[in-house]
Amino acid sequence: MQPRLHLRCGDDLRVPLQRAGIAGEYLCFSDPVCQGPARDEGDLMAWLGLRARFVALHAGQDVGAVRLRLGREYTALSALHRHDAVWLWFEHDLWDQAALIRVLSLLAEKRLLRGRLWLLPADGVRCFPELSDVELGRLQPAPLTELQIEQAAEAWAAYSAPDPTALDALSRRELALPFLGAALRRHLRDLPWTTDGLAETERLVLRAVAEGVTDEAGLLRALRTADAVFHQTDLILRDVVGRLRLGPRRLLHQAEPLGLTPRGAAVLAGRERHRPPPRSEGGVSVLPDPPWLYDPARAGVVRGAEPGERRT
């Protein structure tokens, strides 16, 4: 049996864990499943191709190299039973919770892992890398329960489905994973809203720009202050800003510094409605006339336009 393994959705704890004297091997799961297409039909090869194309475009990397890296990481998940314990370092935010349910959906049927999966306690506020070495060393993991693993697999099936109603219903339940419900609700808020067609992240970007933010660094600081559940990265914000700059009816000026167009100001004020360019939010397709919308009055999803129908 191999020693303990630390599983994390990033490399940011590799050195801090060593510095804190926490022994064990380290596995980085780098697939940012909170972003881009995540429709999962159960075919791992098709999944890896789908995700590699998105990640390569998202990060400006070679698609072949990304495919090899993701393939190694997903393959490594199938060998976790060789370790006497697997410690899962996943925080409260959407990035980590989406990665956690993806990982656990792949491990749910692996009976050899029962009793070997341990979840580290997040405080719901800070990221693990923000903790001191002493604080990291004091953390005590708790064994994952059967219910937690089952609910994670259920959540992933709903997250990757083209119809978000099951995910909406799941997010309202009392869940055994303490931060999952809030993260799923934040994910659903990035569907276009019934009120203005904007996703939550898009609205936060426009609001920050309207309040005087003019560059990417300031935008990143503003959104991290405004949004405790979805920790934005520079690449995520670059994607969001890029799509808000698309087309003749763009909401942000194409040139630097950041600034609202007259249409962007009108949409933010609720005088006009945004028609989003095509993208994916998990398993859900977002279109200019979205088939699914988030309704803030109901705090949940509702049906939008039928295929071929245009909303007015």
Side-chain angles (χ1 to χ4, degrees), residues 11 27-32 48 51-52 54-56 58-59 61-76:
D11 260 329
L27 175 61
C28 170
F29 178 78
S30 66
D31 191 356
L48 289 173
R51 294 300 300 171
F54 169 76
V55 173
H58 174 73
Q61 299 174 355
D62 176 73
V63 66
V66 173
R67 170 66 177 76
L68 287 174
R69 185 183 77 240
L70 292 180
R72 287 193 297 268
E73 293 174 4
Y74 277 88
T75 299

Side-chain angles (χ1 to χ4, degrees), residues 5 14 34 42-43 141 157 167 180 196 216 240 287 293:
L5 179 135
R14 190 183 294 272
C34 66
D43 182 334
L167 189 65
L180 182 56
D196 53 17
E216 184 180 287
V240 174
L287 301 169
L293 299 162

Side-chain angles (χ1 to χ4, degrees), residues 1-288:
M1 190 68 65
Q2 297 180 24
R4 177 196 305 155
L5 179 135
H6 301 288
L7 179 56
R8 168 75 170 158
C9 52
D11 260 329
D12 53 357
L13 280 181
R14 190 183 294 272
V15 173
L17 292 183
Q18 295 174 353
R19 202 170 54 227
I22 304 174
E25 298 179 14
Y26 192 99
L27 175 61
C28 170
F29 178 78
S30 66
D31 191 356
V33 291
C34 66
Q35 287 288 287
R39 193 167 298 184
D40 183 14
E41 306 293 344
D43 182 334
L44 183 57
M45 294 301 102
W47 169 263
L48 289 173
L50 174 74
R51 294 300 300 171
R53 289 189 294 274
F54 169 76
V55 173
L57 181 63
H58 174 73
Q61 299 174 355
D62 176 73
V63 66
V66 173
R67 170 66 177 76
L68 287 174
R69 185 183 77 240
L70 292 180
R72 287 193 297 268
E73 293 174 4
Y74 277 88
T75 299
L77 293 177
S78 66
L80 293 183
H81 63 277
R82 298 174 184 172
H83 297 269
D84 56 12
V86 178
W87 285 18
L88 304 170
W89 295 82
F90 294 84
E91 295 142 9
H92 66 283
D93 66 284
L94 174 55
W95 182 294
D96 285 46
Q97 291 295 301
L100 177 61
I101 62 174
R102 179 50 174 151
V103 166
L104 292 182
S105 75
L106 296 168
L107 305 182
E109 300 302 321
K110 297 188 180 299
R111 313 307 298 182
L112 291 176
L113 278 172
R114 290 302 189 261
R116 300 186 195 178
L117 297 176
W118 298 73
L119 185 65
L120 275 296
D123 65 12
V125 178
R126 294 178 297 172
C127 302
F128 288 127
E130 295 175 348
L131 302 182
S132 68
D133 295 347
V134 172
E135 289 174 309
L136 279 175
R138 288 175 178 166
L139 294 178
Q140 294 296 317
L144 273 181
T145 67
E146 292 283 340
L147 179 60
Q148 286 175 316
I149 296 171
E150 290 170 4
Q151 287 185 348
E154 181 185 0
W156 177 255
Y159 184 95
S160 61
D163 179 336
T165 53
L167 189 65
D168 188 359
L170 181 69
S171 73
R172 300 171 187 274
R173 286 164 42 190
E174 183 176 348
L175 298 176
L177 289 167
F179 304 112
L180 182 56
L184 297 181
R185 289 190 292 274
R186 176 59 181 87
H187 167 72
L188 292 171
R189 290 170 69 88
D190 260 347
L191 292 174
W193 283 32
T194 55
T195 51
D196 53 17
L198 291 170
E200 176 85 324
T201 305
E202 294 170 338
R203 187 177 300 100
L204 291 174
V205 166
L206 295 181
R207 189 173 295 152
V209 173
E211 292 172 354
V213 172
T214 58
D215 60 21
E216 184 180 287
L219 193 57
L220 191 59
R221 289 192 298 270
L223 265 69
R224 287 190 171 176
T225 299
D227 189 350
V229 182
F230 192 5
H231 294 164
Q232 308 292 328
T233 68
D234 54 351
L235 290 179
I236 291 175
L237 284 186
R238 225 163 277 165
D239 282 353
V240 174
V241 168
R243 70 176 182 247
L244 293 174
R245 283 173 160 166
L246 282 176
R249 295 168 66 80
R250 65 183 65 91
L251 307 187
L252 291 175
H253 291 299
Q254 288 182 311
E256 300 295 342
L258 290 169
L260 298 183
T261 64
R263 176 166 170 76
V267 169
L268 184 60
R271 298 191 302 271
E272 296 188 31
R273 182 178 184 80
H274 180 50
R275 299 187 73 234
R279 69 174 191 275
S280 294
E281 291 291 339
V284 180
S285 295
V286 174
L287 301 169

